[in-house]
Amino acid sequence: MSSTSKRTERGKKHTSFEFHPTKGRRFLTIDVKLTAQDTDPTSVILASIAEQQEKVKDAIVRLELSLPAEIEGFLKDAEIKNALKEAYFCTIARDIKRESRPRLGQWTVSEVTPIDALKIYLEQKKMSPERLKELMEYGQRLIEESNK
């Protein structure tokens, strides 16, 4: 939009406005959901970008990645950014899914003894009662030796 100002006879300004259409940039969101079974997560992402390649040029691109924490280290950022080089601007958002850890129930960390912590851990692993008993005995011996 532009404006012009002209002085009228009495010294007052008269302003008029004219609308000038401008071409805006397109927005494009590419959503990629990865799983732990994806052995090469970068190639999955590059394939998703390639599917939309004609829309990427001169667009403002947001690449949304949803992935488990264990495969985050396998991403090759340079290759991903290179695939988006024709975009006017791009951003990469990562939603990292972290594995939940077992809770201690009603206890706090300071209330749990080492042998109790071992027992909770081994019970979470769902091993046989015989193996649990054997490992608890080894654990008890180690704890006793470290307290000497």
Side-chain angles (χ1 to χ4, degrees):
M1 192 180 305
S2 68
S3 66
T4 57
S5 296
K6 296 180 183 176
R7 292 207 177 261
T8 59
E9 298 142 15
R10 296 186 183 175
K12 293 184 180 179
K13 289 185 179 180
H14 174 71
T15 304
S16 64
F17 293 91
E18 240 179 85
F19 180 73
H20 296 277
T22 59
K23 188 174 180 180
R25 301 211 184 273
R26 291 180 329 278
F27 287 88
L28 174 65
T29 300
I30 301 173
D31 191 19
V32 182
K33 291 181 181 11
L34 299 163
T35 64
Q37 288 75 34
D38 290 321
T39 55
D40 186 6
T42 302
S43 66
V44 174
I45 295 167
L46 295 177
S48 295
I49 293 170
E51 289 174 7
Q52 309 246 358
Q53 194 62 48
E54 71 280 350
K55 295 178 185 176
V56 169
K57 186 174 171 81
D58 294 327
I60 297 172
V61 179
R62 178 178 173 88
L63 178 62
E64 292 184 354
L65 305 176
S66 177
L67 65 151
E70 59 264 20
I71 66 169
E72 182 183 16
F74 297 112
L75 294 181
K76 298 174 185 159
D77 290 336
E79 289 182 31
I80 295 168
K81 288 178 183 176
N82 189 47
L84 295 169
K85 70 182 177 192
E86 291 187 2
Y88 175 76
F89 179 80
C90 69
T91 185
I92 300 172
R94 296 179 185 198
D95 179 20
I96 310 296
K97 306 290 182 202
R98 307 231 185 262
E99 186 178 318
S100 64
R101 294 181 169 217
R103 300 291 175 209
L104 296 175
Q106 72 267 15
W107 299 305
T108 63
V109 174
S110 61
E111 295 172 333
V112 178
T113 64
I115 197 70
D116 289 335
L118 177 62
K119 185 175 182 183
I120 292 168
Y121 173 78
L122 294 174
E123 287 172 349
Q124 292 288 324
K125 294 295 179 183
K126 301 189 187 324
M127 49 185 64
S128 70
E130 299 83 29
R131 182 78 173 143
L132 177 75
K133 182 181 177 193
E134 181 184 5
L135 291 174
M136 288 297 294
E137 289 171 2
Y138 284 130
Q140 184 66 42
R141 276 189 261 153
L142 283 171
I143 292 167
E144 289 170 1
E145 285 179 22
S146 69
N147 289 337
K148 288 183 182 180

